[in-house]
Structure formats: C-alpha cells, structure tokens
Amino acid sequence: MTTIEAEPQKLRRSLNTPLLILYGLGVTVGAGIYVLIGATAGQAGPYAPIAFLVAAAVVAFTAFSYAELSTRYPVSAGEAAYVEAGFQRNWLTVLVGLSVAASGIISASAVSIGAASYLHPLTGIAEPILTIGVVGLMALIALWGITQSVVVAAVITVIEISGLLFVIYWGFGEADPAGVPFTEMLPDLSGPHWAGIGAASLLAFFAFVGFEDMANVAEEVKDPTQTMPKAIIWTLVLATLIYVATTTAVLFAVPLEKLALSDAPLALVFEDASPRIQQGFGAIAVVATVNGVLIQMIMASRVLYGLADRGHLPAVFARVAPRFQTPVIATLCVAAIIMVLTQTLPIEALAERTSQVVLAVFILVNLALIRLKHRDPPTMNYYRVPVIVPYLGVAASLLLFGTSLL
C-alpha cells in the first residue's frame, strides 16, 4: 500500500493592504512615541520635530529597499532571506535572522514591563505577575491566527492613534500655550543646534523602528507584489505625519524644561484637564504598550518560523498548528523567552542596543539589494527602485550608526 505523505502545513495568505498598513502603524507607532518625546526634546530643544523628520529621511531609503526586497522574496524571516539571496552565506543569514528576532523579543520585554507599570496603579497587582499575564495573553492572541491577531492589533492601533490625535487636538486647541511658539521651532540652516538635532534623531529613530517588521509577515499577505510596497510607504508617511504633529503639539503646550525631564511626556498635555480625561488617556497608554508586545511577538515568531522553514533552525520551529495555521512552537518559544527576560535581566540596558542592531541589519539589507541588482537581470514581476536608493540607505544608516557610538 502506498502511503501518501501530507504536505507540511503552510501559513495562510490573508492580509490585505488596509490590514497590513494598520499592522505597520501598530508596530511603528507604538509605545516609543508615548515616552520618547521628552528625551528627544531634551536633546534637540525646540527643534524636536525636525529630529523626527531627520530620522524619517534616514529610514525612508531603507524603506524603499524593503519595498523591492519584500516583493522579490515574499517570505517570513524577510531580512534573513534578503541577506541569504544577496550574500549566499548561511552563517550571515542566521545571524541576521536571529538579530531581528532578538530585537523584537527585547523590545517586547521592555514594553511588557512598561505595560505592567501602567496597570499596577489601576489594579494593585504586583508588577511581575502583571508582566507574565500580559505576555501570556498576547501569546494566546498570537496563536489564535494571523488574521485574528492582526485584526486585534489593528483595533488597538486605531485606539492608540486616536490617543495621539487627541493629544494633537488638545495640545493645539484646549491646553494653554505654555511651551514653545511655532516660530521658534524652525532652526537656522547652520549653527551648533544641529549637533543636538543629530543626537535627538537617534532617539527619534527608535520611534520608526518597526516598519521593517512588515517584511516578516509577507508570506501571509495577499498579492505581495502590489500590497507590500504600498503598505510600507503609507506606513512611513503616516507615521512621520503623526510624529511631527504630536511633537509640535506637545512642545506648544508644555514648558520645554518640564517636558525634557518627564518619562510620561504626553500626559503633561492633560495636566489641567479633568480627572476623567486624564484617566482615559492613561488607559490608552496601557493599550498602546500592550499592542507593542503582541506585534513584536508576531514578528519574532515569524522570523524563527522562516529560518526553520528554510533549514537554518531545527524543523520544530516551522511546525504550524493545523487549526489556526500559526507557528505554534516558535510563538511559545518567543513568549517564554520574553517572560524570562522580563523577570531576570536589566531590559533597559539591552534595549539601548536595539537601535544599533537594527541599523546594522539595515546596512546588510541594503548591501544585499545592491549585490542583487548588479548580479541578477531585472524582471517585471516585482517592485523595483533605482540602484542609488540602497546606496543612500547604506550611507544614511552608517551615519546614524556612527552617531550612536559617539
């Protein structure tokens, strides 16, 4: 009797452009903007919005490189697949993939601790228990299914962005203008203030880290050739507009000295508001941090799945749950590591290195695209960018990476 072997279960292509944009915004416009504005203002002073624009310019070149690569190779573990195709070195492929997964896991760990810190005053439950609860709940949602997970993340993203839009409205329309006048937010074209803007741009870069995670769900996207470039570009444009508007509104409403010293800068906009409004915004901040945990968990598990599916990690990480069509072992592994990190390691020190890891990956991804463009003849079945784009991506990432070492 002939035995017919069942084909390995694969991921389901179910994400359309709106869902992918919301996913991208959810992982990009996350907890970072809720805490970074104060630190950015501390470095750049009244020119903090310019720092976000500089960071967006640095990210933009690499974003276009990702737009091409994600249509050439619409698979999980995107960055690892790109580097593998460009350099054809297994060790480099695994290193890049694990670096991307590690950055997501570290970020999710730090954000989990932040979520627990927001929840503790509301519940009275010990923060370590809250942290485990947050991670466990997000793992269950991630296991539920990619469509369900991204829909949940999309709903949370809408709430999260609504909170930022409310900050913009309140800062410009309701709060007393106790901060910096608009005319003082535009810097001269030369002067020592650009050193502060450059240093602040590295902090602002943290707020843009995440758009590249969209490449790691490309295997679950409908028509990736059309969907991926549009979603990546729209995510970057919308995130930049939101960041600049939010930063400007907060600077306009809050005294600069007070803003630069705050770990919860957006809450300062509502200091004169009613307790109900303050509590409502606090709840949105909790939702924002929880969303970051879910999306980073999805990303990291897909990287492990993608590496295993391509033979770079043990095959067990490529195991997909038949019912939900999600990488069950990879997701549980990621959740377990996050739980351990939140309970044992100084996440703040590790998180400071996340941007350097991401910039190093950006450099390698752009170099991989340069090699592919010079080596492989062009075809018509994927999105293409001019060859100058990845060169500019390498230069911009190297410049910001060098700034991070000063």
Side-chain angles (χ1 to χ4, degrees), residues 11-16 18-20 22-23 141-155 217 219-222 294 298 302 323-327:
L11 303 179
R12 177 184 295 150
R13 290 196 180 276
S14 58
L15 300 180
N16 56 23
L19 273 180
L20 190 58
L22 284 171
Y23 175 86
I141 295 174
L143 286 169
W144 185 18
I146 185 61
T147 303
Q148 295 89 338
S149 299
V150 175
V151 167
V152 169
V155 171
V217 295
E219 197 166 326
E220 294 158 282
V221 171
K222 297 177 182 177
L294 173 60
I298 293 171
R302 268 50 178 188
R323 180 177 178 184
F324 302 112
Q325 291 184 281
T326 54

Side-chain angles (χ1 to χ4, degrees), residues 200-330:
S201 296
L202 181 63
L203 294 173
F205 176 81
F206 277 102
F208 286 97
V209 169
F211 84 88
E212 74 282 359
D213 293 348
M214 299 165 71
N216 293 305
V217 295
E219 197 166 326
E220 294 158 282
V221 171
K222 297 177 182 177
D223 191 11
T225 302
Q226 296 295 322
T227 301
M228 290 301 300
K230 288 191 291 187
I232 288 173
I233 294 166
W234 271 109
T235 296
L236 182 59
V237 169
L238 291 173
T240 301
L241 291 174
I242 291 169
Y243 288 166
V244 172
T246 302
T247 308
T248 303
V250 174
L251 277 172
F252 183 67
V254 180
L256 185 59
E257 320 77 55
K258 195 172 186 179
L259 180 63
L261 297 174
S262 176
D263 292 328
L266 300 190
L268 297 176
V269 176
F270 302 101
E271 276 195 330
D272 296 329
S274 67
R276 179 175 295 181
I277 289 177
Q278 293 180 16
Q279 292 166 3
F281 183 76
I284 290 174
V286 172
V287 170
T289 54
V290 168
N291 195 35
V293 178
L294 173 60
I295 291 181
Q296 293 290 358
M297 191 177 290
I298 293 171
M299 180 277 291
S301 64
R302 268 50 178 188
V303 172
L304 295 183
Y305 163 85
L307 287 172
D309 193 49
R310 299 170 74 85
H312 298 301
L313 288 180
V316 66
F317 290 108
R319 187 174 298 170
V320 173
R323 180 177 178 184
F324 302 112
Q325 291 184 281
T326 54
V328 57
I329 302 300

